[in-house]
Amino acid sequence: MTLMATYARLPVAFVRGEGVWLYDSDGRAYLDALAGIAVCGLGHAHPAVTRAIQEQAGHLIHTSNLYRVPLQEALGERLCRLSGLDAAFFCNSGAEANEAAIKLARLYGHQRGVAEPKILVFSQAFHGRTLAALTATGNFRIQEGFGPLVSGFVRVPYGDLAAARAALAADPAIVAVLAEPIQGEGGVRPAPAGFLRGLRTLCDEHAALLMFDEVQTGIGRSGKFLAYQHEEGLLPDVLSLAKGLGNGVPIGALLARAPVAALFGPGKHGTTFGGGPLVCAAALAVLETMEAEDIPTQAAQQGQRLREHLQRRLGGHPLVEEIRGLGLMLGVVLRRKPERLVERALDAGLLINVTAERVIRLLPPLIIREAEIALLTDILSTLLEDES
Ligand SMILES: *Cc1c(COP(=O)(O)O)cnc(C)c1O
């Protein structure tokens, strides 16, 4: 045993990738409808990202956050412009971005004079695997065995605005609300209409921070650069990003409005690797490409197309309960847990994921084209025919 058995790995290893395709050591091609779990939005081996990494690696990989990092400043500026928020902190993963958000919310609570500040979170939420992030996560199987959990979280059902209102009214110690605009691991559940805006109003009424976890939904995945941008004029106070930001290099980001961001003064938070020159160069190449080629709009269009194909081919299938999602974050909800579907898809040359037991989660690269969408749908519907 050389690797800890934390993952139930499939019996395949890839040696090369290009666009939406991955190749194993025998040269066999696989259509990647998972993109490293919403990471490789621009596809594999995107030339602009590869070039940025190669060039930066030849200049400078790491200095320290004890010094200015101009690429980090440029990336922060770009993310602030794209998000409408005011300041950025860089880390190395989604869990770390949420951990920073939780710390920031507690500082905010203490500044407001709340001795034991709490954060409102939701059922089926996923926020990562560090101790506070897994406490915020609404999945017993992720928390089981890791008690005592972190105190200071209150949970209500996702999408239930009345429950959120009641919780905030009942407990003045709740100083922040943390929510995914579309729940990913929880089963590709988009927020019901009016839910996110309703949370904004509630947070304003209670002087609580609205914190969106867009680790999975962000960077074009939902068909907008950020999922909350589907709602005209809606802004959170705090935003966490990771997955798609580096197209595969590990980078996470926390963004916040100015008065909140100012709470992270010198010495309040930090990380050795966060926002180093190499990952920032890669992320800048990602954002430049996203903007120059309007990738979020492409994701919206191709997502619509994929959804229509799926609806046409699978909508009437007795096993299919619902097809839901936004942009290129789609879920085919089955009525029961499928039999070895991921393994059979792999045999058929298609990489998919099943989350929340019975939701086929499709997160292909945002650059997927029509022919590949047709192929994906073909393979998936053939596999499901065998299931019924
Ligand atoms: C993946 C994910 C995380 C955790 O990100 P890591 O980089 O794995 O720590 C947090 N929140 C959401 C919504 C995610 O999808």
Side-chain angles (χ1 to χ4, degrees):
M1 183 177 87
T2 48
L3 299 178
M4 296 195 192
T6 46
Y7 309 100
R9 297 176 196 269
L10 292 161
V12 65
F14 305 107
V15 295
R16 188 171 70 81
E18 191 180 344
V20 300
W21 296 95
L22 280 172
Y23 300 88
D24 68 13
S25 48
D26 298 329
R28 178 162 188 220
Y30 298 80
L31 178 58
D32 185 2
L34 188 59
I37 318 186
V39 167
C40 303
L42 295 180
H44 300 283
H46 190 282
V49 181
T50 302
R51 197 180 325 115
I53 294 170
Q54 284 174 338
E55 281 179 9
Q56 188 57 41
H59 296 307
L60 190 65
I61 292 178
H62 176 78
T63 53
S64 163
N65 284 311
L66 294 172
Y67 312 106
R68 282 185 55 194
V69 182
L71 285 163
Q72 188 182 123
E73 292 170 15
L75 182 61
E77 201 175 297
R78 196 148 189 147
L79 281 173
C80 287
R81 172 166 62 72
L82 287 165
S83 65
L85 298 177
D86 300 313
F89 172 86
F90 290 100
C91 52
N92 312 289
S93 69
E96 271 181 76
N98 286 327
E99 202 73 27
I102 292 163
K103 284 180 71 176
L104 196 57
R106 287 187 169 193
L107 280 180
Y108 171 78
H110 289 299
Q111 185 216 33
R112 267 188 40 199
V114 178
E116 303 249 328
K118 296 180 191 167
I119 298 172
L120 187 70
V121 292
F122 296 94
S123 52
Q124 303 113 30
F126 183 78
H127 298 297
R129 303 281 195 149
T130 58
L131 209 40
L134 79 81
T135 303
T137 289
N139 182 339
F140 174 70
R141 288 212 307 225
I142 287 174
Q143 300 175 338
E144 194 180 8
F146 298 109
L149 300 181
V150 177
S151 60
F153 291 92
V154 175
R155 193 178 311 280
V156 296
Y158 185 71
D160 189 341
L161 198 55
R165 182 178 297 116
L168 278 154
D171 193 345
I174 297 176
V175 298
V177 176
L178 174 63
E180 296 156 89
I182 307 165
Q183 290 189 323
E185 306 298 310
V188 192
R189 299 167 194 267
F195 182 60
L196 301 179
R197 203 179 282 283
L199 290 181
R200 176 71 273 173
T201 306
L202 285 178
C203 286
D204 291 342
E205 287 168 3
H206 292 273
L209 299 179
L210 179 59
M211 313 203 293
F212 284 151
D213 176 350
E214 291 231 29
V215 167
Q216 188 162 153
T217 53
I219 325 291
R221 177 58 54 190
S222 76
K224 295 274 185 192
F225 182 68
L226 296 161
Y228 65 76
Q229 292 168 340
H230 287 280
E231 300 266 342
E232 189 73 33
L234 178 65
L235 262 192
D237 301 295
V238 175
L239 171 70
S240 44
L241 296 173
K243 293 195 166 95
L245 181 55
N247 211 59
V249 301
I251 180 169
L254 178 77
L255 284 111
R257 286 179 159 178
V260 187
L263 295 168
F264 265 167
K268 284 290 186 201
H269 196 46
T271 154
T272 299
F273 291 127
L278 186 73
V279 293
C280 287
L284 275 166
V286 170
L287 298 184
E288 270 160 30
T289 307
M290 286 267 162
E291 284 197 88
E293 299 174 18
D294 197 4
I295 301 288
T297 301
Q298 283 189 49
Q301 289 164 351
Q302 301 296 29
Q304 187 57 35
R305 178 166 285 146
L306 176 56
R307 202 193 173 99
E308 284 164 12
H309 276 254
L310 291 169
Q311 199 64 54
R312 192 164 348 107
R313 298 288 296 277
L314 296 174
H317 193 291
L319 198 56
V320 175
E321 184 177 299
E322 186 189 5
I323 295 166
R324 66 188 178 206
L326 217 53
L328 281 169
M329 183 169 176
L330 295 175
V332 179
V333 186
L334 304 179
R335 293 187 200 279
R336 60 165 167 80
K337 193 175 167 177
E339 254 329 290
R340 296 188 67 254
L341 183 66
V342 173
E343 290 84 351
R344 290 194 293 117
L346 180 72
D347 290 342
L350 175 67
L351 306 178
I352 54 167
N353 171 253
V354 171
T355 190
E357 298 247 298
R358 56 187 182 94
V359 181
I360 305 170
R361 180 168 50 159
L362 302 174
L363 300 164
L366 309 181
I367 49 132
I368 192 168
R369 287 165 303 194
E370 189 159 7
E372 296 148 349
I373 284 175
L375 181 61
L376 193 173
T377 315
D378 272 347
I379 301 176
L380 200 58
S381 37
T382 306
L383 290 170
L384 281 183
E385 269 159 32
D386 301 341
E387 275 277 342
S388 53

